[in-house]
Amino acid sequence: VVAQHSYGVRRVGQSDPIDAHTVFRMASVSKGFAAVLAGQLVEQQHVHWDDTLRHHLPYFRLKDRLHTNSITLRHTLSHTTGLKEYAGSSLIYEDYSCARMLRSLSNVPLCGAPNDTFTYQNAVYSAVAEVARKTTGYRYEYLLDSLIFQPLGMPHASTGYRAMVNRTNKGMPHTYSRRYGWRPNGIRNKWYNV
C-alpha cells in the first residue's frame, strides 16, 4: 500500500469522520460478492454455470414455461434473463422473503429470450442466495462470511440489518435534492430481505 486515507464524515451535519473501519451499506456492489460466491460454488462443484434456476428452485416460475426452464445461473449473474429491466424490484419493498419474492416473478413482463438482451436486475439476481442455500445447506450470510469476508480479512463486513444498525462506526446513506442538498436516509430493514 503506497497511500491510504479516508475522507468525509459518516453523516452530513455531524463531525464523526469516516475511517478504515467505517461500514457502509453496499447496495448493488453486493452483486460482485454474489458472483464471486457463485464462482466458488462452481469451483467446489455444488453448482454449474449452466444449471437452470428451476433445477435448484423447483418453485421458480415466469410467465412463459419455456423461458422458466431456460434461465441459468449464468443468465442470472450476467443480467441476461430476458426479464424486463428491474423486473420485480418493487417486491423488495414488500417485506417478502427471498423465496417469496422469486415466486412472485411469475407475473412480471418478459422482454426477450434468455441471453438476448442485457437488462439490469435486482430481484431475480437474489436467486443466487437461494441456490447457494439449497446446494450447500448453509445460509447465504454464512457462506459470504466464511468464504469471502473472513479469508480476505474483512471482520467488519456483514450482510444483515441488525449487524449494520448495531455498528456505531457506520456511514449513513444519503440522497441529494436541489432544494435541500444532501440529507441522510434511515437504514431500512427491507433492504436486507434479499
Side-chain angles (χ1 to χ4, degrees), residues 16 18 21 59 138 192:
D16 294 329
I18 291 171
H21 305 289
Y59 59 80
Y138 293 106
Y192 293 88

Side-chain angles (χ1 to χ4, degrees), residues 149-169:
F149 299 155
Q150 293 307 319
L152 290 177
M154 299 171 66
H156 304 299
S158 68
T159 56
Y161 171 77
R162 198 168 275 129
M164 181 67 174
V165 296
N166 288 338
R167 294 279 305 176
T168 54
N169 188 358

Side-chain angles (χ1 to χ4, degrees), residues 103-125:
R103 283 184 179 93
S104 298
L105 292 177
S106 61
N107 298 316
V108 301
L110 303 171
C111 68
N115 210 40
D116 282 354
T117 308
F118 174 89
T119 55
Y120 191 82
Q121 301 296 327
N122 288 316
V124 75
Y125 205 96

Side-chain angles (χ1 to χ4, degrees), residues 82-176:
L83 290 164
K84 179 183 147 194
E85 189 171 49
Y86 292 103
S89 287
S90 62
L91 298 171
I92 293 170
Y93 297 100
E94 297 296 324
D95 206 21
Y96 286 6
S97 68
C98 187
R100 183 175 177 197
M101 188 181 63
L102 290 171
R103 283 184 179 93
S104 298
L105 292 177
S106 61
N107 298 316
V108 301
L110 303 171
C111 68
N115 210 40
D116 282 354
T117 308
F118 174 89
T119 55
Y120 191 82
Q121 301 296 327
N122 288 316
V124 75
Y125 205 96
S126 65
V128 173
E130 286 298 291
V131 169
R133 187 177 62 77
K134 290 279 188 178
T135 59
T136 66
Y138 293 106
R139 292 178 43 89
Y140 182 68
E141 295 84 351
Y142 172 80
L143 293 169
L144 281 179
D145 190 57
S146 63
L147 297 177
I148 298 177
F149 299 155
Q150 293 307 319
L152 290 177
M154 299 171 66
H156 304 299
S158 68
T159 56
Y161 171 77
R162 198 168 275 129
M164 181 67 174
V165 296
N166 288 338
R167 294 279 305 176
T168 54
N169 188 358
K170 63 180 169 281
M172 293 301 292
H174 290 73
T175 55
Y176 180 80

Side-chain angles (χ1 to χ4, degrees), residues 5 10 20 25 29 34 39 52 57 65 67 70 74 79 92 95-96 112 116 119 125 131 149 152 167 174 186 190-191:
H5 189 75
R10 298 178 212 162
R25 188 178 78 84
V29 174
T52 64
L57 309 173
R65 190 171 142 212
H67 206 107
S70 300
R74 183 186 310 271
H79 299 280
I92 293 170
D95 206 21
Y96 286 6
D116 282 354
T119 55
Y125 205 96
V131 169
F149 299 155
L152 290 177
R167 294 279 305 176
H174 290 73
K190 292 176 183 178
W191 292 339

